[in-house]
Amino acid sequence: MDIINDRLYQPFCDSYKATDSFLDENPLLKSQFDDLYSFASHILGECFPADLDSIRKIWWFPIVEAGLELEYSLFFAKAGIYKTSHMALRNFLELSLTCFHFLLMKKAKGNDWVRGNTPTPFKREILSGLFDNEDFLILDQNISIKARIETAYRMLSDICHTRGRPHSHMELSKANYPRFTAEALQSYLQTTRDVVDLVITCFIGVNPIILYPIPVEEKFGINGPMSGYLQEPEVERLRRLLKPDSLQHLLRYYDTNTGVQSQRDYFAGLPDITEAEVRKQFEEFDKFIADMNTRNAQQGGPGYPPQGVGSPDP
């Protein structure tokens, strides 16, 4: 092995194990870390409103990519590479805000950006669009979203652009290699929770129904909406990731929102799907997979696993 190229590998592995041990010894921090990971890998994507208008404006790309950035941020933090974890966290924030920017525009051209044909909007342009929205203006009066976004973005940008030694690898990891330190990890987790609180608050401003549980599986089985609605366990985690003040003001504002209430009433009024209907859905799904595998085998394409085979849900 090349000793120079391999210098960081063992400290990387050691730091990852040390972080896991530290989290095991601190159940509250471990619970917070698990909630953040679940949000990054699963819940964030489910928040995207899957109506045709939203899909035409921006598609899923920025939220899928934002979730991956947050996963990488958590991954590098566990490995004791705290500067890189903060850089990925900044990317997560920027991608999320870019998604909200295009979703709120009446005539958005977000898919031009997705294809790489137009530059990413500047933060000033993004915030201007967000806070032209009535919901964002009202929430900002109570929980100062705009100022908090500015503060978080500036702090993460200082790290990303290495504003002197205080924002360097050497300072954040206290070494020139991956190194676990409890203080750095706890500081990172607090920063990440602050950023995620902002992103969730903004996402609720765009799609407020995600603040409330919708019994999607009970009503639709496996043929429910692609995304845009959360079930009870997901909403519980989402609410845990919000600051108490944020959650209090969001509930106060949206509990009486007629649009949100009409959606909740609609789903509550739907009949529950029967066991026979669910069995039929699985039969149709398995038939679809079998047909696809037959076609792909004939054309030399990839095969698909039957229902229930593969990676478990996060």
Side-chain angles (χ1 to χ4, degrees), residues 44 62-63 65-67 69-70 73 86-101 120 123 126-127 130 145 148-157 191-192 194-200 202:
L44 177 63
I63 284 303
E65 186 73 2
E69 289 284 6
L70 183 54
S73 177
H86 283 86
M87 292 169 69
L89 186 61
R90 180 190 183 275
N91 292 342
F92 160 71
L93 176 59
E94 182 177 44
L95 281 163
S96 300
L97 293 175
T98 300
C99 180
F100 306 148
H101 167 75
T120 301
K123 174 171 60 69
I126 290 174
L127 294 182
L130 292 184
I145 308 171
R148 290 170 54 211
I149 290 174
E150 293 272 16
T151 299
Y153 199 93
R154 183 167 54 251
M155 185 272 287
L156 293 172
S157 294
T191 298
T192 303
D194 290 344
V195 170
V196 167
D197 168 79
L198 287 170
V199 168
I200 292 174
C202 289

Side-chain angles (χ1 to χ4, degrees), residues 270-281:
L270 292 174
D272 288 356
I273 192 169
T274 65
E275 291 185 11
E277 289 171 328
V278 172
R279 283 197 298 271
K280 185 177 179 181
Q281 287 181 346

Side-chain angles (χ1 to χ4, degrees), residues 19-211:
T19 302
D20 275 337
S21 297
F22 178 77
L23 292 175
D24 287 340
E25 295 166 2
N26 294 271
L28 177 59
L29 293 178
K30 180 174 174 54
S31 175
Q32 292 175 354
F33 200 99
D34 290 345
D35 282 345
L36 288 167
Y37 182 79
S38 178
F39 178 73
S41 62
H42 173 60
I43 296 174
L44 177 63
E46 294 295 323
C47 294
F48 186 90
D51 58 278
L52 288 177
D53 185 53
S54 298
I55 294 170
R56 286 193 194 102
K57 287 179 177 179
I58 191 60
W59 200 245
W60 275 275
F61 164 74
I63 284 303
V64 172
E65 186 73 2
L68 186 56
E69 289 284 6
L70 183 54
E71 278 194 78
Y72 272 123
S73 177
L74 294 163
F75 172 78
F76 284 117
K78 288 188 79 173
I81 311 175
Y82 301 110
K83 177 170 180 175
T84 305
S85 66
H86 283 86
M87 292 169 69
L89 186 61
R90 180 190 183 275
N91 292 342
F92 160 71
L93 176 59
E94 182 177 44
L95 281 163
S96 300
L97 293 175
T98 300
C99 180
F100 306 148
H101 167 75
F102 284 119
L103 283 174
L104 290 175
M105 290 177 66
K106 291 182 179 179
K107 295 182 179 180
K109 296 183 178 179
N111 286 312
D112 287 341
W113 170 78
V114 169
R115 289 188 287 268
N117 295 331
T118 57
T120 301
F122 288 113
K123 174 171 60 69
R124 182 183 301 174
E125 180 183 352
I126 290 174
L127 294 182
S128 175
L130 292 184
F131 291 95
D132 277 345
N133 178 275
E134 182 182 359
D135 283 7
F136 277 79
L137 285 172
I138 292 172
L139 291 172
D140 190 45
Q141 293 171 5
N142 292 290
I143 48 180
S144 305
I145 308 171
K146 188 174 183 179
R148 290 170 54 211
I149 290 174
E150 293 272 16
T151 299
Y153 199 93
R154 183 167 54 251
M155 185 272 287
L156 293 172
S157 294
D158 285 346
I159 294 175
C160 187
H161 301 300
T162 316
R163 186 181 175 185
R165 182 182 174 87
H167 304 95
S168 66
H169 282 290
M170 288 286 290
E171 184 67 22
L172 294 170
S173 294
K174 305 300 182 187
N176 65 344
Y177 52 85
R179 180 173 181 264
F180 162 75
T181 70
E183 181 182 359
L185 179 69
Q186 289 173 285
S187 175
Y188 162 81
L189 282 175
Q190 184 56 60
T191 298
T192 303
R193 285 175 58 81
D194 290 344
V195 170
V196 167
D197 168 79
L198 287 170
V199 168
I200 292 174
T201 299
C202 289
F203 224 144
I204 290 170
V206 172
N207 186 30
I209 194 64
I210 62 174
L211 187 56

Side-chain angles (χ1 to χ4, degrees), residues 206-311:
V206 172
N207 186 30
I209 194 64
I210 62 174
L211 187 56
Y212 303 92
I214 299 297
V216 174
E217 289 185 2
E218 294 174 24
K219 304 298 181 179
F220 298 100
I222 64 172
N223 292 339
M226 293 181 67
S227 63
Y229 301 97
L230 302 181
Q231 300 188 86
E232 191 165 351
E234 298 165 328
V235 171
E236 288 176 358
R237 273 200 153 151
L238 189 86
R239 292 187 177 191
R240 282 202 301 268
L241 286 167
L242 285 165
K243 294 178 181 291
D245 284 352
S246 299
L247 179 59
Q248 177 185 350
H249 287 294
L250 287 164
L251 289 171
R252 183 184 302 162
Y253 183 64
Y254 286 112
D255 276 353
T256 57
N257 182 282
T258 56
V260 171
Q261 191 57 52
S262 66
Q263 288 191 71
R264 297 175 69 188
D265 290 343
Y266 167 76
F267 283 103
L270 292 174
D272 288 356
I273 192 169
T274 65
E275 291 185 11
E277 289 171 328
V278 172
R279 283 197 298 271
K280 185 177 179 181
Q281 287 181 346
F282 275 100
E283 291 168 2
E284 291 173 347
F285 181 83
D286 288 341
K287 182 178 183 301
F288 168 77
I289 293 298
D291 290 345
M292 289 295 295
N293 283 335
T294 299
R295 292 179 187 177
N296 287 329
Q298 294 170 349
Q299 299 172 9
Y304 296 88
Q307 181 67 23
V309 176
S311 300

